Amino acid sequence: MSAPRVVSVAAASPAQRAGLRVGDELLAIDGRVPRDVIEYRLLVDEADPQLEIRRGHDEVSVTVDKTAGEALGAEVSSALFDRVRTCDNHCEFCFIYQLPKGMRRSLYLKDDDYRLSFLYGNFTTLTRFTELDLERVLSEGLSPLFVSIHSTDPALRSRMLRNVRGATSLRWLRALLDGGIEVHGQVVVCPGVNDGAALETTLAGVLDEYPELATVACVPLGVSDYTTEAAMRPHTEDEAAAVIDTVEQWQELALGALGRRLVYAADEYYLIAGRPFPAAERYDGFPQHENGIGMARAFAAAFGGDDRAASGVQPGFFAWVDGAPAAGYRATRVAPGTGGSPGPTGGPVAVITGEYGAMVLGPLLAGLDSRPDGDGAPIRLLPVRNAFFGGNIAVTGLLTGVDVARALAGQPEGHRYLLPDVCLSDGRFLDGMTVGELPRPVEVVPADGLSLRHALEAPLGRPSGAPRPPEAVPVALGQSR
Ligand code: SF4
């Protein structure tokens, strides 16, 4: 257990008026020791909380003058103050087992902690969930949560998780839904394991046993060069098409039974199968956008100027993997002072992206020019192959500095290079490199369509990030002659 440490105190806040300082450790609040930031928030929400503080070698007691519900105005350093509950599964498809050696230690942490599910959208299998956890989730209303289903067949789920408790832990899902908790589900589809008839059984099981689930995402297995599991392989084009057909068939059944689609296929399936993405309205507001469901559609809409389609925080490095460490993928993308430097304006522009990103961005950027009069240069893509992980890893968020550096080294100097911020966590790539170590200056741009559009327009005199009516957007960038 480590006491939460204050990292910021808002000006004119109750915390500042009470003399709280950055670096203070909060030992107790109203006599209780908070286990995590959820409890911290609840405790400091009360009127006039009494804080026991360690400041250097001293311990002091401070009563904060505030009303119930008024923000304290102090942020603390971490999400969990006790130990992260680690995962006791050994899934053959686990991406954490497929990481090369020598990466940051935090990236190898397998958590299965409902609190990180609530706080960050991490998926949990519930194999370590307990009666006490259920009591807390229900009493504190920790909703929504994100649960890995994989299969509703107990034997298959247990086999996939390599954990006997995998056969029974979905009873907690039932209890959460009975308690009114909003739950989003996920099925990592592994070809030859839980696709085909097994996927049909799972989706039938979802509709039959867990119809209150808010959504269920079907996402493809990611296989890196470092997998040691012989049975794990990427989907073929036909297998991807079959997953789409199954999902769309069950969407129709769910629409008939529940009045909503319930289940969605990841964008990667449409890319692998070479099929067009469903229309934006078929994503029902993009509830699993961060899990790669409808991201391409939302990006295109936002790039076209529809800022209603921009869905907030973008997916992180491990958003599609269970048990991602909070510090790993939910950290600030770009730490102050590490965000790259603006390149020369008005000249040639290249957008750095992964191989899947290139398939989405290609049609959007085709024919666009860096100047509105068309006398600039075509805006081009710089697709980067993920040699670091290899396999079928082609999402932009898993690009590493070494691969981006290799791609940039062969590029001309004096061009603008735009890098999506999903490649970074606290200003570093997954392999620890910073943008400052790249062989060309790059500009880091938030990974949503509207931000990219603004970044491309910024040199034309528009302030980046300025709101504008959707109809103004298509004329701002020139068409390449
Ligand atoms: S972290 Fe997730 S995928 Fe990895 S072993 Fe645990 S439950 Fe399985």
Side-chain angles (χ1 to χ4, degrees), residues 50-71:
Q50 187 176 5
L51 313 182
E52 305 302 326
I53 296 168
R54 181 159 52 220
R55 183 174 292 157
H57 297 298
D58 301 329
E59 289 192 9
V60 289
S61 183
V62 173
T63 300
V64 182
D65 182 17
K66 70 178 274 298
T67 55
E70 183 182 6

Side-chain angles (χ1 to χ4, degrees), residues 61-117:
S61 183
V62 173
T63 300
V64 182
D65 182 17
K66 70 178 274 298
T67 55
E70 183 182 6
L72 174 67
E75 293 298 324
V76 291
S77 54
S78 59
L80 305 184
F81 315 141
D82 57 2
R83 291 172 72 90
V84 175
R85 193 171 298 169
T86 52
C87 154
D88 62 348
N89 306 311
H90 301 88
C91 309
E92 54 189 346
F93 55 87
C94 179
F95 195 70
I96 293 172
Y97 294 144
Q98 301 184 53
L99 298 175
K101 288 192 171 65
M103 300 182 72
R104 289 197 300 281
R105 270 184 64 196
S106 63
L107 297 175
Y108 298 97
L109 176 72
K110 296 189 308 165
D111 80 72
D112 204 348
D113 196 314
Y114 69 93
R115 298 172 299 175
L116 296 182
S117 184

Side-chain angles (χ1 to χ4, degrees), residues 106-471:
S106 63
L107 297 175
Y108 298 97
L109 176 72
K110 296 189 308 165
D111 80 72
D112 204 348
D113 196 314
Y114 69 93
R115 298 172 299 175
L116 296 182
S117 184
F118 171 67
L119 288 167
Y120 301 113
N122 291 13
F123 280 88
T124 169
T125 63
L126 299 172
T127 51
R128 297 200 61 192
F129 203 70
T130 66
E131 198 67 49
L132 274 179
D133 297 335
L134 178 67
E135 210 177 294
R136 181 178 179 199
V137 169
L138 298 187
S139 66
E140 294 183 13
L142 305 186
S143 176
L145 294 179
F146 298 81
V147 171
S148 276
I149 297 169
H150 304 324
S151 173
T152 51
D153 169 6
L156 178 55
R157 188 166 190 269
S158 163
R159 182 159 70 83
M160 289 186 74
L161 300 185
R162 287 185 176 142
N163 185 342
V164 286
R165 280 198 297 281
T168 53
S169 73
L170 286 184
R171 76 182 194 280
W172 296 119
L173 172 58
R174 185 65 263 151
L176 291 168
L177 295 171
D178 286 343
I181 299 299
E182 179 182 325
V183 182
H184 296 267
Q186 162 176 270
V187 175
V188 174
V189 184
C190 304
V193 178
N194 64 338
D195 62 345
L199 182 59
E200 298 269 0
T201 304
T202 295
L203 297 183
V206 163
L207 201 52
D208 192 34
E209 298 170 55
Y210 312 107
E212 304 95 330
L213 275 164
T215 60
V216 176
C218 292
V219 302
L221 165 71
V223 189
S224 89
D225 280 349
Y226 298 90
T227 184
T228 54
E229 302 285 351
M232 294 295 101
R233 61 171 179 80
H235 291 274
T236 64
E237 190 179 322
D238 286 348
E239 287 167 342
V243 170
I244 294 171
D245 290 341
T246 300
V247 166
E248 292 186 348
Q249 175 200 338
W250 281 94
Q251 283 185 332
E252 293 309 312
L253 291 169
L255 262 178
L258 309 172
R260 57 198 176 89
R261 288 183 182 83
L262 179 64
V263 56
Y264 304 86
D267 292 3
E268 277 183 67
Y269 281 118
Y270 292 89
L271 294 172
I272 300 167
R275 291 197 185 172
F277 296 112
E281 57 269 21
R282 292 186 67 88
Y283 289 106
D284 304 314
F286 304 98
Q288 287 226 37
H289 178 271
E290 292 194 46
N291 205 12
I293 308 290
M295 197 183 299
R297 211 24 121 190
F299 188 97
F303 188 77
D306 180 1
D307 54 6
R308 291 163 306 177
S311 302
V313 179
Q314 299 302 304
F317 297 133
F318 290 90
W320 51 288
V321 181
D322 293 359
Y329 80 86
R330 299 291 175 156
T332 318
R333 299 274 176 247
V334 185
T338 59
S341 48
T345 57
V349 184
V351 180
I352 300 165
T353 183
E355 290 174 302
Y356 282 150
M359 293 164 81
V360 174
L361 279 171
L364 300 178
L365 298 183
L368 292 182
D369 193 275
S370 62
R371 287 172 53 99
D373 57 10
D375 279 343
I379 294 169
R380 63 191 175 91
L381 277 175
L382 178 53
V384 179
R385 193 176 74 80
N386 197 323
F388 185 90
F389 288 117
N392 69 342
I393 308 304
V395 294
T396 307
L398 289 170
L399 283 180
T400 55
V402 67
D403 284 330
V404 174
R406 188 183 317 104
L408 278 172
Q411 295 294 311
E413 292 183 22
H415 291 200
R416 283 182 79 205
Y417 295 100
L418 305 184
L419 177 78
D421 67 349
V422 285
C423 304
L424 302 170
S425 177
D426 267 339
R428 289 188 181 274
F429 291 94
L430 270 174
D431 57 359
M433 276 182 70
T434 65
V435 290
E437 295 173 82
L438 296 173
R440 301 279 177 274
V442 298
E443 289 170 57
V444 180
V445 177
D448 63 273
L450 207 57
S451 296
L452 177 61
R453 171 64 73 162
H454 289 173
L456 293 172
E457 289 176 355
L460 308 177
R462 288 183 185 280
S464 180
R468 83 262 344 265
E471 62 273 18

